[in-house]
Amino acid sequence: MSQYLWLVQLDIPVEMEDEFNHIYDTEHAPNISKVPGVLGVQRYVLEKPVAGVQKYATLYLVNSPDLPQTPEWLAASAEGQWKTVIRPHAINSTLSMFRAIP
């Protein structure tokens, strides 16, 4: 079975960063981690600003390229405050699926 990397990059208004990180770490990432087929989740923040590059990135190691569109993933993503408090303020989002090269 192939492994895939779902890369989510985004920016959030500076005044919401503390709330964003709290909700991501305590609700969103743990909820997504429980979805069958999610093999790992790791968050990153850009060390030094680079023009045109989003400040935050999350790498989801998954076993299927279709996993982020499944009912299970979508339900987990809608749990907690992510959908109502954070998602409306996420900007410059880029979603990319990578397949591991054998």
Side-chain angles (χ1 to χ4, degrees):
M1 180 182 296
S2 295
Q3 287 188 353
Y4 297 85
L5 184 66
W6 178 239
L7 172 61
V8 177
Q9 295 172 272
L10 59 87
D11 287 317
I12 198 81
V14 71
E15 66 273 10
M16 291 193 69
E17 285 189 75
D18 289 341
E19 186 174 26
F20 164 77
N21 285 308
H22 175 75
I23 290 172
Y24 215 126
D25 290 340
T26 63
E27 294 181 11
H28 190 63
N31 291 342
I32 297 294
S33 294
K34 295 176 190 171
V35 174
V38 174
L39 308 173
V41 177
Q42 180 64 54
R43 297 188 61 224
Y44 296 88
V45 62
L46 195 61
E47 184 70 17
K48 295 178 183 175
V50 176
V53 177
Q54 297 90 336
K55 184 172 182 177
Y56 291 97
T58 304
L59 299 176
Y60 298 92
L61 185 61
V62 298
N63 68 2
S64 167
D66 301 321
L67 193 60
Q69 289 79 41
T70 63
E72 295 84 4
W73 183 294
L74 296 174
S77 184
E79 291 178 14
Q81 300 176 78
W82 182 258
K83 184 177 180 179
T84 57
V85 176
I86 301 302
R87 191 180 296 158
H89 300 283
I91 53 177
N92 302 324
S93 298
T94 302
L95 309 171
S96 306
M97 183 65 72
F98 294 86
R99 179 180 40 84
I101 299 173

